[in-house]
């Protein structure tokens, strides 16, 4: 496989595998209950990586995932410029993606540590990771439209963005109107994380279709 497509593949696949593997390990060791977290909302993603062997596994997989995603957004910027996009929006997408990756590292480093400061740090890290990643993804789809990069893969990327936004807005509304939001918050988190990481996998198809090859020269 082309190296840029390998980066895109691992950017999505590694965190998906990491999150589910750490959940299984944590459940086997009795740190979280057994369930299907997407529906039963029995455990947050953070809880899966706080104790035992899963603590080390989570950090050892998610920090490299952050580095891969940062590289992915750099390559996405290069790809847009190869297609004829302007430098400023392409670099801005990379900037947002880089910020997202940095906040993911912040979240991973603080995970499992005690103290109010680190708890706030974890919260800020995960919120900013999701926010900046989603904005990068949405802007990439927008630029693809402006460059007339059409096809099923762009429709899939757009569909993922719309679904992610819909669920995100639904969680806010649900939190405002219901006293039972806490019972479902973890399930929302699992679903949003899956959608965001699936996005990276779809870019594999897009980059393959356009014949994108790596270019490490900074413009």
């Amino acid at each position: 496989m082309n190296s840029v497509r390998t980066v895109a593949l691992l950017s999505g696949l590694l965190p998906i595998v990491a999150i589910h593997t750490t959940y299984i390990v944590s459940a086997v060791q009795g740190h979280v209950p057994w369930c299907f977290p997407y529906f039963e909302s029995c455990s947050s993603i953070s809880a899966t990586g706080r104790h035992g062997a899963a603590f080390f596994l989570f950090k050892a997989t998610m920090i490299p995932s952050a580095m891969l995603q940062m590289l992915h957004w750099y390559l996405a910027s290069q790809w847009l410029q190869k297609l004829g996009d302007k430098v400023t929006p392409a670099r801005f997408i990379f900037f947002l993606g880089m910020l997202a990756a940095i906040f993911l590292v912040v979240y991973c480093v603080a995970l499992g540590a005690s103290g109010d400061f680190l708890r706030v740090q974890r919260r800020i890290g995960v919120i900013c990771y999701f926010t900046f990643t989603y904005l990068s993804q949405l802007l990439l789809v927008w630029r693809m439209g402006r460059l007339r990069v059409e096809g099923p893969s762009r429709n899939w990327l757009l569909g993922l963005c719309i679904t992610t936004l819909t669920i995100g807005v639904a969680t806010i509304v649900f939190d405002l109107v219901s006293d039972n939001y806490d019972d479902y918050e973890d399930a929302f988190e699992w679903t949003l994380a899956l959608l965001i990481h699936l996005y990276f996998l779809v870019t594999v198809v897009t980059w393959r279709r356009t014949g994108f090859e790596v270019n490490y020269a900074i413009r």
Side-chain angles (χ1 to χ4, degrees):
M1 180 181 288
N2 183 287
S3 60
V4 296
R5 297 199 295 270
T6 300
V7 170
L9 177 66
L10 292 178
S11 295
L13 187 60
L14 183 57
I16 290 174
V17 172
I19 290 169
H20 292 84
T21 301
T22 52
Y23 168 73
I24 293 172
V25 171
S26 194
V28 167
Q29 295 185 335
H31 300 300
V32 296
W34 284 103
C35 76
F36 189 62
Y38 289 94
F39 293 111
E40 298 178 64
S41 196
C42 66
S43 171
S44 67
I45 294 176
S46 297
T48 68
R50 286 179 182 156
H51 306 285
F55 172 84
F56 301 99
L57 179 61
F58 191 90
K59 293 179 187 293
T61 51
M62 291 304 293
I63 292 177
S65 295
M67 299 299 100
L68 283 166
Q69 289 179 18
M70 186 182 297
L71 179 56
H72 170 277
W73 290 117
Y74 169 73
L75 293 172
S77 174
Q78 292 289 301
W79 175 62
L80 288 174
Q81 292 178 66
K82 276 182 170 289
L83 294 175
D85 201 6
K86 298 177 181 178
V87 173
T88 299
R91 286 185 174 176
F92 185 62
I93 289 173
F94 168 57
F95 174 72
L96 291 177
M98 180 178 64
L99 285 179
I102 291 172
F103 277 110
L104 178 56
V105 173
V106 169
Y107 163 75
C108 290
V109 170
L111 185 63
S114 59
D116 291 338
F117 173 74
L118 291 175
R119 183 163 52 251
V120 172
Q121 186 174 315
R122 289 195 301 270
R123 189 67 175 171
I124 292 174
V126 71
I127 290 175
C128 289
Y129 168 66
F130 279 123
T131 301
F132 288 130
T133 299
Y134 177 75
L135 289 176
S136 298
Q137 294 177 345
L138 188 62
L139 287 174
L140 182 61
V141 172
W142 172 56
R143 298 313 297 176
M144 289 172 65
R146 293 294 298 269
L147 295 168
R148 300 188 183 279
V149 182
E150 303 297 339
S153 57
R154 181 179 180 274
N155 294 335
W156 297 339
L157 293 175
L158 180 60
L160 286 169
C161 286
I162 293 173
T163 304
T164 300
L165 179 61
T166 301
I167 294 176
V169 172
T171 61
I172 296 174
V173 174
F174 188 36
D175 187 22
L176 292 174
V177 303
S178 175
D179 295 330
N180 300 323
Y181 173 75
D182 291 343
D183 297 334
Y184 302 95
E185 182 179 9
D186 293 336
F188 285 132
E189 180 188 36
W190 280 86
T191 303
L192 289 172
L194 179 62
L195 291 170
I196 279 178
H197 294 138
L198 285 175
Y199 184 103
F200 293 102
L201 300 183
V202 178
T203 60
V204 177
V205 180
T206 305
W207 289 355
R208 180 180 61 189
R209 189 174 65 83
T210 57
F212 177 46
E213 296 182 355
V214 68
N215 176 15
Y216 292 108
I218 299 177
R219 295 173 56 183

